[in-house]
Each structure stands twice: as structure tokens, then as C-alpha cells.
Amino acid sequence: MFDFQAGLQFGADRQFELTAGMINAFNKTPPAAKYTGYLSTLGDPYGRQTYVRVGAKF
């Protein structure tokens, strides 16, 4: 499972931050496990997820 993230700081004194990322970038299905249904360390049952985060310091 591969995750990617990139961020950028900008503005006066780098007070703003923009971050974008992807969880389970290759959309790998987790292998089956006996009790939990899947092995969370080797895959993600939610599939590929993307996110954007915006922050500001005052």
C-alpha cells in the first residue's frame, strides 16, 4: 500500500499551508483474514482516498 502527500507553505512568514494527499494510491484490495475479514497492514478496505488540508497560523 502506497500513500502520497505534498504540501506548500506560502504567504507572509509562511502563515498559510496547503496539503494534498492520497491514501492507498494504487487502490490495492487487502488480502482476506480469518477473524477481521482483511489484513489492515497490507491494504485498505476503503480503497483509494484523496484529501486536501488547508491551514493558517495567526
Side-chain angles (χ1 to χ4, degrees), residues 35-53:
Y35 297 108
T36 60
Y38 66 92
L39 293 174
S40 62
T41 56
L42 300 176
D44 192 340
Y46 299 112
R48 182 182 301 125
Q49 302 169 58
T50 58
Y51 61 89
V52 175
R53 180 174 53 206

Side-chain angles (χ1 to χ4, degrees), residues 6-10 16-20 52-55:
L8 173 68
Q9 293 179 334
F10 58 95
F16 299 107
E17 182 178 17
L18 178 65
T19 305
V52 175
R53 180 174 53 206
V54 178

